Amino acid sequence: MGIELKNITKKFGGYTAIDDISLNVASGELVALLGPSGCGKTTLLRIIAGLELPDGGKIILEDKDTTNLPPREKNVGFVFQHYALFRRMTVFENVAFGLKVLPRKARPSGTEIRDRVEHLLKMVQMEWALKRYPSQLSGGQRQRIALARALAVNPKVLLLDEPFSALDAKVRQELRRWVRKLHDDIHVTSIFVTHDQEEALELADRIVVINKGRIEQQGTPQEVYDHPANAFVYNFLGNVNVFHGRVHNGKVTLGSHRVDAPDEFKNTEEKASQAFVRPHEIGISRIRSSEADLEGTIQEVRLMGGQIGLNLECEGFEHPIEAEIPRDLYINLQLSRGDKVFVSLNRVKVFTGDYAI
Amino acid sequence: MLKQPTPETAPLVRKRVSDPLPVQILLIGLMLLFFIGFIFLPLGLVFAQAFQKGWSVYLESITESYALEAVKLTLTTVAIVVPLNAFFGVTAAWAITKFNFAGKAALKTLLDLPFAVSPVIAGLIFVLLVGSRTPFGSWLGEHGIKIIFSTPGIVIATLFVTFPFVVRELIPLMEAQGRDEEEAALTLGARGWQIVGKITLPNISWGLLYGMILCGARSIGEFGAVSVVSGHIRGQTNTVPLHVEILYSEYNFAASFAVASILVFLALLTVALKVSMEKKFQKNSSHH
Amino acid sequence: MGLFQTKRRNILPGFGLSMGYTVFYLSAIVIVPLSMIFFNTFPMGWDPFVHAVTAPRVLASYRLSFSTALFAALFDAVAGLLTAWVLVRYRFPGKQFLDALVDLPFALPTAVAGICFATLYSPMGWLGATLTKWNITIINSATGIVIALVFIGFPFVVRTIQPVLEEVEQEIEEAAHCLGATRWQTFRKILLPHLFPALLTGSTLAFARGIGEYGSVIFIAGNLPMKTEIAPLMIMSKLDQFDYAGASAVALVLLLISFSMLLALNAIQEWQQKEYR
Ligand SMILES: Nc1ncnc2c1ncn2[C@@H]1O[C@H](COP(=O)(O)OP(=O)(O)OP(=O)(O)O)[C@@H](O)[C@H]1O
Ligand SMILES: [Mg+2]
């Protein structure tokens, strides 16, 4: 096992930042910690790296209990949210730092260090920047140097704190794919933090969704996306329409409509519930295809790359429903603002309980 | 170094022409008047008085043995005081900026305390602590250690007076830099002294130097505190400012101002260094 | 004291060592020596203490130090505001040079400043000669002390106002103009209130420094009993007579004044922060 966390707890004063988190990461796995701002992602990462001490629990790296080891002895590579490059050192010196501070016996020779640094810089495609200072690099370039620096010491575990958050959308995409490829090449056990669900879904072998210092769900991107464990996870992963209603005997009330509830609600008593439908799982047609279809009016049409976003006003619904349909369909149906259409809600996901967004 | 407009020149570009020209001329004139009366006349006077009896008297005054002894004592004091306060400054700034603990604000206030103390009181407290008429002082005296009216007294009084200079420069600087780089070094396997030597010190080098220059300038020029603990023994416990005073009170004005002119020169040097380092600061901070 | 403990073990190394050294050095150089003032004053008892600090000569020296420092601080407030204004707002040749020279009083040894002013205003001095003709005496008078203190306090005011003035948003002034205010009205109603906390801070610093100042003053003051003896000089002369208790008593009062200035300054700064973000 690469990383094992057992019942980690961390309090800041009276505030519980990490609340009894247990987590296993297999060797060579790339795991995403996903959660809203302030949920404790950075804190958890810092605890693993030894930069913060947990109030309770155990941290086991490669089958060795490292809970009370200082960061120096943990052999963890950490890429900071704002890079934390050494501003008075060149790129070369930055990357070589971890090797140069090794005890004399373990320290490689000058040429070995040079070769290793050059190899790493080539890997992150920054070999040309050897003599530059961090202030002379762009954000994305600094990010790569930070990565190379962390990898220089052959860490057992690589931790990345929001590695792409300070970058613009395009660079972000590129670097994300590049990191995935890099990970496939070197296979170091890695955890990265993000609050961007798209990033987590695309990059990770496994996603761990965190909220308020607790794990809400973990699983492969597919599992988490298709079978969210609760309303929070469903809501956090992607755009969603939320309907507050009641569930009773296999039927959910949505606005003034009733639709079939998923099987597990067959025989329930009447309960407050929330129903979720993702915009792209809303069907639009010119003709009624089933009893359950709603009648709606197109209020707004938005161009969203390959998709078209529609705001639909449906009678009996307080808020407009958001839908996304492929561009082709939009053209075929010859839709425009003010048109009346039939709306079908597919794959309605129902959660009971009083989760509030 | 990136070519960027320094913050100093940047706002000038969009600065409006503010007041009407006559007002500007009036205000600049008033300011010049103040500068002439309070800066230029005194400066000019020093050199005029110093050279009133010609070059030879000037040279003689500053190379005469008591003057040289005074310079030696002042340099000795500076050479002890500046490193001690600089080392303390780095240590205290490390403790204060890299860790969280209760009472931090109170500690910071205490560090500024010597600024609020009159120089004469700064001298007085050491006379009260280790003067020959105090229990501790007489005990030291029995063991052949003399502090007041000798060099150690001058050194500790100067230590007190210049105590806050370095640490005051470093705390805001290190607070702004945060702990990220130190933590990064930690995860890369660096030990404490490696972090301080390779990361922290290079990052604060300019601020440290700046603080040391201010500390040095004040050590050279301190008068009140040193005057209390010195004993004014020529050739032994006379610092340069005290020597200036003695010559002046003996109506030996030419010699007094000649020695003073060295101090003026050093003061001008300090001011020039300060300006050039502030430029350096701004350039550095515009990168990050 | 919670000074030595933290709630959690620290991650960065060296807390115990650096904190220990800081507290040790602070105590050895500052706290313990300063406490000697109290240890030497307390054994006196209340009545002798009051007697020592209310002796006519001592009272006269407090009054003199206080009033000259106050006048000098007021003068510095005006001269400092003017200088900061000119240095920030106008462009003219030699500006940077003058700007640098503002710091000279910080850097120049006080004794040198002292002998300069004493010589300048002596009856045969460059300025003194003319003034004597008009029957104005600066030397050996309170005016002379004020002049020396103006010099000492000047950079404090300029250097506290300058950054604030630099950051005043152009829009504020322009808005006032658009509302029909004259330049003078804009200055008085908009800018001055904005600069006021900094002006107060700077003048308080100059004032606090002026109360304790010694080197630059004694040469021009002439040190006439009851007339031009400043408080630090009283301490000095008591010390010369080995009256340690008396010297500490006078020093204690002076220290209390200085510390209350420091506290007032903190209060000003807090108020300033509340007022403007
Ligand atoms: N040193 C600290 N002292 C007190 N509270 C802290 C400290 N560090 C973090 N916290 C609190 O712990 C909580 C979790 O913080 P953390 O930095 O782990 O959030 P995060 O999930 O990384 O958020 P973001 O996405 O904004 O970076 C926050 O509410 C924060 O205020
Ligand atoms: Mg974070």
Side-chain angles (χ1 to χ4, degrees), chain C residues 78-134:
Chain C
V78 176
L81 180 60
L82 169 77
T83 305
W85 181 269
V86 170
L87 289 178
V88 171
R89 294 292 174 110
Y90 303 161
R91 305 172 73 179
F92 55 94
K95 181 173 118 162
Q96 292 206 320
F97 176 65
L98 292 183
D99 195 349
L101 278 182
V102 168
D103 282 325
L104 190 77
F106 277 147
L108 192 71
T110 51
V112 176
I115 62 169
C116 283
F117 287 115
T119 312
L120 267 183
Y121 291 99
S122 78
M124 286 152 322
W126 290 357
L127 296 174
T130 321
L131 291 170
T132 311
K133 269 187 227 146
W134 302 338

Side-chain angles (χ1 to χ4, degrees), chain B residues 72-93:
Chain B
K72 212 173 108 195
L73 179 58
T74 294
L75 288 182
T76 310
T77 309
V78 172
I80 299 172
V81 166
V82 173
L84 278 179
N85 276 345
F87 181 75
F88 166 75
V90 174
T91 316

Side-chain angles (χ1 to χ4, degrees), chain C:
Chain C
M1 294 249 297
L3 220 63
F4 301 94
Q5 288 172 355
T6 45
K7 267 174 237 130
R8 58 198 177 92
R9 211 183 78 203
N10 290 293
I11 300 300
L12 282 169
F15 179 71
L17 211 62
S18 59
M19 196 54 166
Y21 183 71
T22 301
V23 171
F24 162 75
Y25 192 84
L26 175 70
S27 312
I29 304 290
V30 178
I31 309 289
V32 170
L34 262 186
S35 66
M36 295 317 290
I37 299 277
F38 296 93
F39 289 133
N40 275 274
T41 316
F42 280 135
M44 283 176 90
W46 181 249
D47 286 338
F49 172 76
V50 173
H51 190 254
V53 298
T54 55
R57 232 173 113 183
V58 175
L59 275 186
S61 77
Y62 283 141
R63 217 174 289 133
L64 181 71
S65 277
F66 203 84
S67 57
T68 50
L70 188 66
F71 275 115
L74 288 175
F75 191 97
D76 276 331
V78 176
L81 180 60
L82 169 77
T83 305
W85 181 269
V86 170
L87 289 178
V88 171
R89 294 292 174 110
Y90 303 161
R91 305 172 73 179
F92 55 94
K95 181 173 118 162
Q96 292 206 320
F97 176 65
L98 292 183
D99 195 349
L101 278 182
V102 168
D103 282 325
L104 190 77
F106 277 147
L108 192 71
T110 51
V112 176
I115 62 169
C116 283
F117 287 115
T119 312
L120 267 183
Y121 291 99
S122 78
M124 286 152 322
W126 290 357
L127 296 174
T130 321
L131 291 170
T132 311
K133 269 187 227 146
W134 302 338
N135 268 333
I136 303 174
T137 331
I138 301 285
I139 198 146
N140 301 350
S141 77
T143 322
I145 301 176
V146 172
I147 286 176
L149 294 183
V150 165
F151 174 79
I152 295 297
F154 176 65
F156 289 97
V157 181
V158 180
R159 293 298 185 229
T160 36
I161 297 181
Q162 238 173 347
V164 184
L165 197 54
E166 261 158 19
E167 274 166 23
V168 174
E169 288 159 61
Q170 193 174 336
E171 283 82 10
I172 298 181
E173 278 173 76
E174 285 172 352
H177 276 294
C178 295
L179 295 171
T182 63
R183 280 212 65 80
W184 175 243
Q185 284 171 326
T186 313
F187 178 77
R188 248 192 39 218
K189 298 250 163 79
I190 310 284
L191 279 173
L192 209 52
H194 191 77
L195 294 176
F196 187 69
L199 195 58
L200 198 58
T201 306
S203 325
T204 311
L205 282 171
F207 178 65
R209 175 76 201 263
I211 285 185
E213 179 57 26
Y214 176 73
S216 59
V217 173
I218 50 159
F219 297 95
I220 200 169
N223 311 329
L224 310 170
M226 301 297 294
K227 274 195 184 143
T228 58
E229 267 183 336
I230 52 168
L233 190 81
M234 284 313 302
I235 299 173
M236 207 67 156
S237 61
K238 284 194 186 291
L239 255 182
D240 283 344
Q241 296 153 17
F242 300 108
D243 178 8
Y244 287 2
S248 342
V250 178
L252 182 63
V253 174
L254 208 56
L255 268 186
L256 290 179
I257 295 175
S258 302
F259 289 165
S260 44
M261 307 283 356
L262 204 69
L263 289 181
L265 212 63
N266 277 345
I268 293 173
Q269 263 148 13
E270 243 161 59
W271 165 64
Q272 190 175 359
Q273 270 163 8
K274 240 178 250 159
E275 201 92 324
Y276 307 94
R277 269 162 296 153

Side-chain angles (χ1 to χ4, degrees), chain A residues 28-154:
Chain A
E29 209 178 5
L30 177 57
V31 167
L33 290 184
L34 178 63
S37 188
C39 71
K41 308 179 297 285
T42 298
T43 307
L44 187 60
L45 223 55
R46 287 172 61 86
I47 288 174
I48 300 172
L51 292 172
E52 210 84 63
L53 286 156
D55 296 320
K58 269 192 165 58
I59 303 144
I60 295 157
L61 301 180
E62 310 256 272
D63 304 317
K64 191 174 154 217
D65 185 347
T66 66
T67 313
N68 291 313
L69 282 189
R72 184 161 51 77
E73 288 163 33
K74 285 208 170 188
N75 201 4
V76 163
F78 199 107
V79 177
F80 289 76
Q81 193 164 354
H82 301 287
Y83 324 125
L85 291 179
F86 307 133
R87 71 192 87 185
R88 299 273 176 224
M89 295 185 193
T90 60
V91 164
F92 175 85
E93 289 167 328
N94 262 282
V95 179
F97 184 86
L99 301 170
K100 285 188 178 168
V101 296
L102 284 171
R104 196 170 292 277
K105 278 174 287 163
R107 196 186 310 160
S109 73
T111 46
E112 279 169 331
I113 291 180
R114 181 139 213 113
D115 290 347
R116 172 131 185 85
V117 172
E118 273 168 7
H119 169 74
L120 282 162
L121 286 178
K122 208 163 275 163
M123 199 166 74
V124 299
Q125 300 157 6
M126 291 290 296
E127 65 274 22
W128 51 272
L130 216 60
K131 293 206 176 70
R132 295 237 183 157
Y133 282 89
S135 59
Q136 300 165 319
L137 300 175
S138 73
Q141 292 166 342
R142 287 182 209 180
Q143 183 64 63
R144 289 172 209 228
I145 300 302
L147 195 57
R149 183 178 72 177
L151 289 173
V153 288
N154 275 326

Side-chain angles (χ1 to χ4, degrees), chain A residues 201 207 209 216-240 264-265 276-278 281 347-352:
Chain A
L201 292 170
I207 293 181
V209 183
E216 297 281 355
Q217 188 179 8
Q218 45 178 311
T220 63
Q222 202 67 45
E223 282 167 10
V224 175
Y225 191 78
D226 290 342
H227 306 286
N230 54 37
F232 173 82
V233 177
Y234 196 95
N235 190 45
F236 195 70
L237 290 176
N239 257 340
V240 73
E264 68 253 43
F265 295 102
F276 295 84
V277 184
R278 297 216 183 271
E281 283 169 347
R347 292 219 238 170
V348 179
K349 186 84 189 168
V350 178
F351 296 101
T352 53

